[in-house]
């Protein structure tokens, strides 16, 4: 049976060009890496496909030079084109098994989950390397209704695969999420919208040591 690929603990970076105060996704990722992030997901909601491919290629090379895992959100075709380390899909995207057929065994597949049932299904699927658990709190980056702390606690106790807590997590509540057992956490707007991205990330990373 295929073994799951290990996902770095700490802050999981995601681009968000609509929250970055006009700064490029490349710049934001550069700053995330300076702050110590070891995994970055490329998500670009406001760009057309050609722009995404160009930007994804550039950020992929930046990540490769710095030993950072590079994940593409949703677009399996772009992940293949730029030789990303993996792809992150949602519940309405391709099935993980079909994505695996396209990517092969050595790439990472992440899957967003919003309930205990979805989480358990992902846990039982060897083609899923990690899951997103959330949104924990209300968030402006997704339309999905918040799932609250209960699902997070369930994931810690029952889903023995890497997961990323996501959704409405801010500097003021991240300690609560860590105290529940989350080892990988994502803050999108808090990071890309920060005036000092690298410094902010560096402080957040210290919470996991």
């Amino acid at each position: 049976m295929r073994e799951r690929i290990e996902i770095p603990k700490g802050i999981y970076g995601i681009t968000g060009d609509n929250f970055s105060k006009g700064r490029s996704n490349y710049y934001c990722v550069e700053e995330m890496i300076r702050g110590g992030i070891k995994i970055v997901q490329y998500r670009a909601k406001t760009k057309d496909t050609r722009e995404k491919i160009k930007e994804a290629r550039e950020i992929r090379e930046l990540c490769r030079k710095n030993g950072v895992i590079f994940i593409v959100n949703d677009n399996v075709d772009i992940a293949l084109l730029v030789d990303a380390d993996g792809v992150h899909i949602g519940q309405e995207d391709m099935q993980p098994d079909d994505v695996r057929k396209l990517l092969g065994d050595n790439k990472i597949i992440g899957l967003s989950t919003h309930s205990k049932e979805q989480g358990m299904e992902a846990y039982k699927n060897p083609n899923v390397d990690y899951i997103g658990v959330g949104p924990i709190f209300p968030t402006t980056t997704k339309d999905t209704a918040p799932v609250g702390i209960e699902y997070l606690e369930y994931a810690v106790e029952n889903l023995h695969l890497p997961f990323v807590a996501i959704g409405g997590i801010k500097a003021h509540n991240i300690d609560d999420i860590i105290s529940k057992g989350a080892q990988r956490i994502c803050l999108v707007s808090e990071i890309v919208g920060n005036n000092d991205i690298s410094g902010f990330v560096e402080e957040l990373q210290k919470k996991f040591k």
Side-chain angles (χ1 to χ4, degrees):
M1 180 181 288
R2 178 185 173 275
E3 290 187 11
R4 286 186 166 109
I5 299 172
E6 184 55 37
I7 307 300
K9 295 177 182 177
I11 298 297
Y12 179 109
I14 298 184
T15 59
D17 43 11
N18 44 340
F19 299 101
S20 61
K21 300 180 177 178
R23 298 170 297 185
S24 70
N25 286 323
Y26 186 96
Y27 171 83
C28 291
V29 172
E30 206 169 27
E31 288 296 293
M32 289 182 203
I33 292 172
R34 281 184 59 205
I37 275 179
K38 295 300 181 186
I39 181 167
V40 169
Q41 180 189 135
Y42 175 69
R43 187 164 78 188
K45 299 294 186 183
T46 64
K47 297 181 184 294
D48 62 33
T49 302
R50 287 189 180 184
E51 287 180 297
K52 286 182 182 179
I53 293 169
K54 180 179 183 296
E55 194 170 57
R57 278 201 174 110
E58 293 169 349
I59 295 174
R60 199 281 173 267
E61 285 309 307
L62 173 65
C63 289
R64 181 176 275 145
K65 287 176 185 175
N66 289 278
V68 172
I69 294 173
F70 179 63
I71 304 291
V72 171
N73 182 65
D74 288 348
N75 301 108
V76 180
D77 51 350
I78 294 178
L80 283 165
L81 276 171
V82 305
D83 191 27
D85 296 305
V87 69
H88 186 94
I89 53 175
Q91 289 293 319
E92 296 177 358
D93 296 319
M94 277 190 206
Q95 290 284 354
D97 297 356
D98 291 327
V99 176
R100 179 62 65 202
K101 289 175 184 175
L102 292 172
L103 294 186
D105 284 344
N106 297 324
K107 299 293 187 180
I108 296 166
I109 296 177
L111 176 66
S112 294
T113 66
H114 316 296
S115 68
K116 297 175 183 178
E117 293 75 21
Q118 291 175 359
M120 183 55 70
E121 184 178 350
Y123 170 50
K124 292 178 178 177
N125 187 334
N127 287 316
V128 177
D129 292 295
Y130 75 93
I131 59 172
V133 168
I136 306 298
F137 306 115
T139 174
T140 55
T141 64
K142 286 279 189 177
D143 296 329
T144 311
V147 300
I149 295 294
E150 184 183 1
Y151 178 34
L152 171 64
E153 292 174 333
Y154 176 86
V156 171
E157 292 294 323
N158 300 282
L159 305 180
H160 304 296
L161 80 168
F163 73 83
V164 179
I166 187 171
I169 301 173
K170 311 288 185 183
H172 70 82
N173 60 26
I174 190 173
D175 288 338
D176 295 336
I177 302 302
I178 293 173
S179 71
K180 297 293 183 183
Q183 297 178 324
R184 301 165 187 85
I185 298 177
C186 177
L187 306 80
V188 182
S189 58
E190 282 273 288
I191 288 177
V192 300
N194 199 285
N195 291 328
D196 179 15
I197 293 174
S198 61
F200 182 58
V201 168
E202 192 172 348
E203 288 305 307
L204 292 176
Q205 289 286 64
K206 291 176 182 178
K207 296 178 180 292
F208 297 89
K209 295 177 181 177

